């Protein structure tokens, strides 16, 4: 069936609008700041093959693999016959969705006139699913220490939510009622997505909608092939290192990448990734795929949103049992810590052939702090923040100051007003870390300084990386400064980047200094 340009574009934008409605539902209905303030979530609308039709703004690493998670979950459950109209599925299995247990994926089939026409999916970080430490901690050595592990199970059917599943989740979290509230917000988002998708099909008819989908996918595939065809054939490589795996803090973890370009196709080979580490920096294959998709989009095809026609000319090779294709029971709590580095390495590997398109490295790591204790009402709390830093410069401009890292997209830190109202914490400084970006003809972006004073005894958890391989410069530009953390009061330290449950006294202060981006070109 042929379809005209105007109808195709209307349907394309309706898909995107429906996804944004789902995203707004999560943010406006959630119970915890990590979702309603930081927006640590993403959604997608999928066709009956679980290929992406539309996705919201959100975290690129989530958006890049929701389709993979749904496909793998359905494969493991025997296909679409497992699902009935009204069902909603929940999972947080790292070896299916690729991420850590705190990230919960919900998806639901969309039925119309009794037939399956697609799926809707949403993922959000619900902060705590049990485990040996609040939020999972930073020193886990297997997935069972990280919390409750859910393979795909039905949390809803046409009659409503399953109270038994919700009770299991509630009883296994330190923030049980809040976590259940967040899950209900995601269920509501699925229901909104189902309604919007049926409305689109009712308006145009299934045949027209699927014809528009086919045309959208065709355009995206052609755009990808054209972009890769313009790159000289060859093998492009890069390597860096993570500081450590969080357990053996004296040993850096090498991260290599190899990209093969052949005509209009590319192969990204991650088979050289290290074996699964003892510490929690492993990820399921779906998340490694998502990271490479983000890098590919940034460099080759940034002008188009992601849909099921993208990446058809991209093959990603991983090795089962490696840190980028982890198998149970590998620890995955800090799965994303290597992925910003992978993205930087992918982009920089093309520096010689695409000098006007590549950027120097960005600060890379998510630079996480989180605090656990008792709030103003005496209830347990967990306050999680990802911090901004400096982005790399390019041939045309300085790097940006104080932006969230490349894997996190629209993720935001907690506004000072919200943080101080909800928790016994005072933010004493939030500023640009001047001079932390690398020098060059165009300078790297600066990181930030963010300082806290704790008004009650607090457990401190830190996960900052990229001091062994800080943001590098290109074309003669200098590297950015690595991160640093300063603790003052009952403890005085400035040599810690990873901490698991360090007990701080009331009145102690913490300052986080994030890394700067790399410079581009010689400063001379």
């Amino acid at each position: 069936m042929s379809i005209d340009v105007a109808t195709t574009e209307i349907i394309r934008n309706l898909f995107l609008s429906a996804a944004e409605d789902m995203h707004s539902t999560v943010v406006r209905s959630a119970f915890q700041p990590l979702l309603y303030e930081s927006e640590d979530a993403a959604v997608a609308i999928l066709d009956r093959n679980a290929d992406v039709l539309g996705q919201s703004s959100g975290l690129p690493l989530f958006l890049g693999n929701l389709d993979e998670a749904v496909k793998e979950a359905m494969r493991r459950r025997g296909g679409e016959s497992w699902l009935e109209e009204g069902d909603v599925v929940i999972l947080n299995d790292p070896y299916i969705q690729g991420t850590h247990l705190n990230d919960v994926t919900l998806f639901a089939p969309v039925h119309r006139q009794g037939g399956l026409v697609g799926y809707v999916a949403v993922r959000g970080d619900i902060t705590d699913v049990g485990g040996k430490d609040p939020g999972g901690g930073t020193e886990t050595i297997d997935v069972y220490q990280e919390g409750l592990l859910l393979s795909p199970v039905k949390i809803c059917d046409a009659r409503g939510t399953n109270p038994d599943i919700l009770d299991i989740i509630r009883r296994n979290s330190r923030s049980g009622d809040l976590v259940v509230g967040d899950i209900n917000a995601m269920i509501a988002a699925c229901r909104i997505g189902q309604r919007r998708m049926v409305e689109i099909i009712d308006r145009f008819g299934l045949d027209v909608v699927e014809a528009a989908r086919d045309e959208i996918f065709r355009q995206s595939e052609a755009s990808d092939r054209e972009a890769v065809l313009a790159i000289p054939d060859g093998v492009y490589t890069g390597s860096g290192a993570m500081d450590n795996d969080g357990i053996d803090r004296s040993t850096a973890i090498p991260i290599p990448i190899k990209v093969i370009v052949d005509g209009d196709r590319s192969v990204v080979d991650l088979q050289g990734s290290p074996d699964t580490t003892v510490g929690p920096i492993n990820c399921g294959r779906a998340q490694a795929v998502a990271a490479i998709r983000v890098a590919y989009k940034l460099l080759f095809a940034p002008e188009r949103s992601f849909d099921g026609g993208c990446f058809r000319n991209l093959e990603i090779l991983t090795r089962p049992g490696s840190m980028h294709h982890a198998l149970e029971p590998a620890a995955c709590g800090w799965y994303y810590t290597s992925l910003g580095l992978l993205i930087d390495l992918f982009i920089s590997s093309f520096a010689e052939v695409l000098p006007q398109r590549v950027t120097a490295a960005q600060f890379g790591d998510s630079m996480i702090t989180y605090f656990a204790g008792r709030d103003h009402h005496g209830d347990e709390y967990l306050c999680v923040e990802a911090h901004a830093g400096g982005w790399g410069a390019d041939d045309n401009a300085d790097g940006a100051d104080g932006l969230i890292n490349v894997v996190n997209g629209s993720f935001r830190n907690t506004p000072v007003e919200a943080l101080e109202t909800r928790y016994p914490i005072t933010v004493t400084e939030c500023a640009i870390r001047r001079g932390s970006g690398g020098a060059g003809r165009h300078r790297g972006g600066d990181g930030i300084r963010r300082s806290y004073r704790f008004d009650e005894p607090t457990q401190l958890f830190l996960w900052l990386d990229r001091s062994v391989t800080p943001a590098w410069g290109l074309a003669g530009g200098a590297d950015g400064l690595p991160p640093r953390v300063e603790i003052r009061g009952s403890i005085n330290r400035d040599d810690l980047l990873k901490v698991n449950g360090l007990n701080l006294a009331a009145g102690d202060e913490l300052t986080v200094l994030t890394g700067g981006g790399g410079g581009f070109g010689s400063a001379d």
Side-chain angles (χ1 to χ4, degrees):
M1 178 180 180
S2 62
I3 188 167
D4 62 89
V5 173
T7 303
T8 299
E9 289 307 307
I10 290 170
I11 292 175
R12 183 207 304 272
N13 283 281
L14 284 171
F15 289 150
L16 297 174
S17 177
E20 291 294 348
D21 282 351
M22 290 178 65
H23 186 265
S24 295
T25 300
V26 173
V27 171
R28 295 176 65 181
S29 306
F31 278 55
Q32 298 192 83
L34 200 57
L35 287 177
Y36 70 71
E37 291 286 3
S38 301
E39 300 189 17
D40 192 355
V43 307
I45 292 179
L46 314 168
D47 69 6
R48 68 176 75 186
N49 302 313
D51 290 324
V52 173
L53 298 173
Q55 62 183 31
S56 71
S57 56
L59 274 67
L61 282 185
F62 286 0
L63 298 171
N65 79 0
L66 282 171
D67 57 328
E68 294 288 318
V70 173
K71 289 175 182 177
E72 180 62 14
M74 293 301 295
R75 185 190 69 78
R76 294 195 184 196
R77 290 302 190 192
E80 65 184 60
S81 61
W82 175 55
L83 293 178
E84 298 178 356
E85 188 168 355
D87 288 347
V88 178
V89 177
I90 187 171
L91 69 139
N92 70 345
D93 188 328
Y95 319 106
I96 295 176
Q97 66 180 17
T99 73
H100 57 188
L101 297 182
N102 307 69
D103 293 332
V104 170
T105 300
L106 277 71
F107 71 90
V110 180
H111 289 86
R112 178 177 176 271
Q113 299 177 353
L116 178 72
V117 294
Y119 300 88
V120 293
V122 56
R123 181 177 299 153
D125 191 324
I126 61 173
T127 305
D128 184 86
V129 289
K132 73 182 188 69
D133 294 301
T138 65
E139 294 182 341
T140 52
I141 61 172
D142 62 46
V143 71
Y144 313 120
Q145 293 183 342
E146 294 177 339
L148 179 68
L149 174 60
L150 294 169
S151 286
V153 293
K154 295 180 182 180
I155 197 166
C156 285
D157 59 22
R159 296 169 297 177
T161 56
N162 184 328
D164 296 334
I165 299 295
L166 283 176
D167 188 60
I168 290 170
I169 295 170
R170 180 186 288 109
R171 294 293 300 277
N172 280 275
S173 172
R174 297 167 179 84
S175 306
D177 289 339
L178 299 178
V179 163
V180 170
D182 287 344
I183 290 172
N184 282 328
M186 288 188 274
I187 293 171
C190 287
R191 297 306 190 204
I192 289 291
Q194 291 171 312
R195 189 185 311 163
R196 295 290 182 266
M197 191 168 181
V198 170
E199 288 171 354
I200 295 169
I201 296 172
D202 284 346
R203 177 178 172 183
F204 292 93
L206 183 59
D207 289 344
V208 173
V209 169
E210 291 189 338
R213 172 204 62 190
D214 293 343
E215 174 60 16
I216 292 166
F217 287 4
R218 185 199 66 78
Q219 293 173 9
S220 293
E221 180 178 1
S223 176
D224 279 1
R225 291 186 182 280
E226 182 180 1
V228 174
L229 191 61
I231 301 167
D233 289 355
V235 178
Y236 302 90
T237 61
S239 62
M242 306 311 301
D243 292 356
N244 52 68
D245 70 352
I247 300 297
D248 178 2
R249 298 188 185 175
S250 64
T251 302
I253 309 296
I255 305 293
I257 191 171
K258 179 167 68 173
V259 186
I260 303 163
V261 175
D262 183 8
D264 65 356
R265 294 185 55 80
S266 59
V267 178
V268 178
D269 189 350
L270 301 180
Q271 295 178 102
S273 296
D275 291 343
T276 300
T277 61
V278 173
I281 62 171
N282 307 291
C283 69
R285 172 180 158 81
Q287 202 54 56
V289 168
I292 298 304
R293 286 177 169 182
V294 171
Y296 183 99
K297 264 297 194 190
L298 285 170
L299 189 60
F300 297 152
E303 68 284 349
R304 293 184 68 87
S305 61
F306 168 44
D307 59 58
C310 300
F311 313 122
R312 291 182 174 181
N313 63 332
L314 171 65
E315 183 179 5
I316 300 169
L317 305 177
T318 59
R319 176 172 56 85
S322 68
M323 66 176 289
H324 290 127
H325 190 153
L327 305 174
E328 192 172 347
C332 299
W334 299 87
Y335 71 93
Y336 43 79
T337 196
S338 72
L339 302 182
L341 177 58
L342 266 183
I343 292 168
D344 276 342
L345 291 171
F346 180 97
I347 292 171
S348 292
S349 69
F350 292 94
E352 291 189 6
V353 295
L354 300 173
Q356 295 183 324
R357 293 177 62 182
V358 299
T359 61
Q362 40 103 44
F363 73 111
D365 188 62
S366 294
M367 307 287 173
I368 299 290
T369 60
Y370 71 89
F371 318 123
R374 297 279 177 179
D375 64 18
H376 302 295
H377 306 290
D379 298 325
E380 286 190 77
Y381 77 86
L382 190 63
C383 174
V384 181
E385 289 200 283
H387 295 285
W391 279 50
D394 62 25
D395 188 49
N396 300 305
D398 294 343
D401 300 332
L403 287 185
I404 200 68
N405 76 317
V406 69
V407 306
N408 278 322
S410 61
F411 193 104
R412 301 178 298 193
N413 61 11
T414 306
V416 172
E417 297 84 355
L419 189 151
E420 294 185 345
T421 298
R422 192 173 181 112
Y423 309 118
I425 301 169
T426 300
V427 177
T428 58
E429 180 185 25
C430 190
I432 299 295
R433 184 188 179 190
R434 298 298 181 191
S436 55
R441 178 166 52 85
H442 294 292
R443 67 166 184 84
D446 287 332
I448 68 161
R449 295 175 55 94
R450 191 162 167 97
S451 300
Y452 308 83
R453 184 180 68 245
F454 302 100
D455 304 324
E456 299 288 343
T458 301
Q459 279 192 305
L460 172 65
F461 297 81
L462 296 174
W463 189 284
L464 289 82
D465 208 284
R466 293 292 291 270
S467 66
V468 171
T469 305
W472 57 85
L474 288 179
D479 296 348
L481 292 181
R484 194 171 84 247
V485 174
E486 298 171 352
I487 305 171
R488 297 289 179 263
S490 64
I491 298 172
N492 292 284
R493 301 284 295 269
D494 60 6
D495 60 334
L496 299 174
L497 293 178
K498 294 182 175 65
V499 163
N500 188 76
L502 181 66
N503 289 314
L504 300 181
D508 285 356
E509 295 191 2
L510 170 78
T511 298
V512 177
L513 300 95
T514 64
F520 194 99
S522 174
D524 297 335

